[in-house]
Amino acid sequence: MMVLDGKIAAQAVKNQLQEQTAAITAQGKPSPHLAAILVGNNGASETYVASKVKNCAETGFRSTLLRLPQDCSETELLAKIQELNQDPDIDGILVQLPLPAHIAENKVIEAIDPRKDVDGFHPSNVGRLVQGLPTFIPATPYGILLLLDHFQVPTKGKHAVVIGRSNIVGRPMSILLSSAIAQGNCTVTLCHSHTQNLKALAAEADILVAALGRPGYVTADMVKPGAVVIDVGITRVEDATAAKGFRIKGDVDYAQVSAIAGAITPVPGGVGLMTIAGLLKNTLQAYLQNRG
Ligand code: GUN
């Protein structure tokens, strides 16, 4: 059994990005600049955004964190996005999700200039992804592709089963794995809350991607011996013995499944770290595309 260690793979990607960035700044050019907008102070979102900012610094990127209050209006947020769209010194823009219920997520996503949409959530970028055109691949699916690449996991002709159809992970992941790309060419089954026989379908997967957000959902009986298991879950579960009062649990029952899988991502230390690597790669891509 191979552990697909996100720490190792993410570090390899970040080292490469750091070198590329150093080469840019050595020419006297400015470094890539990411703008992140955080509305309110959801605990998990705070953690993710802080990690994005920290990783930018480690890579030699600049980042700006813009905070808006939980009760800010949709108009205010849209105005802020317009400002960033028009700022030539901003290469990438991300609005941390989820947003408060009174703000329409789709309106916000559509307001971001697709050329700066480093999350790859804008409908025009999603359309490009579906058609196999150059685009920004959403950070988590991108990170998973980078992980499969790093550990040289073969995908061609394999049966991939993705559990979860979110716009952020499951849906784009299913499209990418079926695409004619290096980490693609799979036959893909996309499972969701209305899937019948999910357990039996999962058990047929050569590559199983769990992205449904239910801690410990994937048990050993749902996994084919030798399968590659990618755990996207990052749910906070209460744990009185943990320093913060919670710990992070994946969608896969790691103890059970690691005993029969051929390869598996740990949680934490797996896909989560790769997500950041994907975002950083998109930010450099935006810089190179927009500033030449
Ligand atoms: N919330 C959960 N995942 C993501 C992500 O990849 N990007 C943003 N902006 N928000 C998220």
Side-chain angles (χ1 to χ4, degrees):
M1 200 274 301
M2 173 165 50
V3 175
L4 303 171
D5 189 332
K7 216 183 243 177
I8 292 170
Q11 195 57 55
V13 173
K14 287 196 286 181
N15 288 346
Q16 196 186 23
L17 288 170
Q18 199 178 15
E19 278 174 32
Q20 287 173 282
T21 308
I24 289 167
T25 53
Q27 294 177 290
K29 294 177 184 165
S31 60
H33 189 176
L34 175 72
I37 303 181
L38 177 58
V39 181
N41 32 34
N42 173 284
S45 291
E46 290 270 3
T47 307
Y48 302 149
V49 169
S51 179
K52 290 169 185 179
V53 166
K54 175 169 162 270
N55 277 274
C56 276
E58 287 170 4
T59 311
F61 292 2
R62 291 170 293 154
S63 68
T64 298
L65 171 57
L66 295 148
R67 289 173 164 278
L68 291 171
Q70 179 76 18
D71 63 355
C72 90
S73 70
E74 188 180 277
T75 313
E76 245 177 291
L77 175 55
L78 293 173
K80 187 48 81 180
I81 291 170
Q82 282 318 323
E83 225 175 89
L84 297 170
N85 282 344
Q86 280 150 26
D87 184 342
D89 193 41
I90 296 292
D91 301 292
I93 303 169
L94 78 83
V95 178
Q96 189 64 32
L97 305 177
L99 289 168
H102 67 278
I103 298 177
E105 225 156 74
N106 63 327
K107 254 198 207 172
V108 170
I109 288 168
E110 286 196 57
I112 298 170
D113 184 331
R115 293 167 299 188
K116 297 189 177 187
D117 171 37
V118 287
D119 263 331
F121 293 164
H122 191 287
S124 71
N125 283 325
V126 178
R128 295 180 65 86
L129 180 110
V130 170
Q131 296 195 343
L133 299 170
T135 183
F136 296 108
I137 302 171
T140 300
Y142 196 6
I144 293 169
L145 298 183
L146 293 167
L147 187 74
L148 295 172
D149 177 40
H150 183 88
F151 290 103
Q152 288 295 295
V153 175
T155 59
K156 190 162 75 179
K158 304 289 184 191
H159 182 199
V161 175
V162 178
I163 310 176
R165 57 178 162 183
S166 73
N167 287 337
I168 296 180
V169 185
R171 178 80 57 191
M173 193 73 244
S174 70
I175 293 161
L176 288 160
L177 285 169
S178 72
S179 297
I181 55 175
Q183 276 69 46
N185 292 305
C186 293
T187 303
V188 177
T189 301
L190 180 55
C191 298
H192 48 75
S193 50
H194 294 277
T195 297
Q196 294 178 1
N197 254 338
L198 192 151
K199 278 185 181 244
L201 289 167
E204 282 180 24
D206 302 308
I207 299 169
L208 182 62
V209 180
L212 70 160
R214 280 174 60 176
Y217 181 83
V218 175
T219 45
D221 56 316
M222 297 166 66
V223 177
K224 181 159 87 177
V228 174
V229 180
I230 309 290
D231 188 349
V232 186
I234 40 163
T235 308
R236 291 181 169 196
V237 295
E238 272 186 46
D239 182 350
T241 69
K244 293 176 181 163
F246 66 86
R247 67 199 160 81
I248 302 296
K249 204 158 182 271
D251 288 346
V252 176
D253 187 325
Y254 188 88
Q256 275 186 24
V257 173
S258 59
I260 62 162
I264 187 168
T265 62
V267 176
V271 172
L273 301 174
M274 298 310 297
T275 294
I276 305 266
L279 172 70
L280 295 173
K281 275 189 77 92
N282 280 341
T283 304
L284 180 60
Q285 184 188 318
Y287 174 94
L288 296 172
Q289 283 169 1
N290 296 337
R291 306 206 203 206

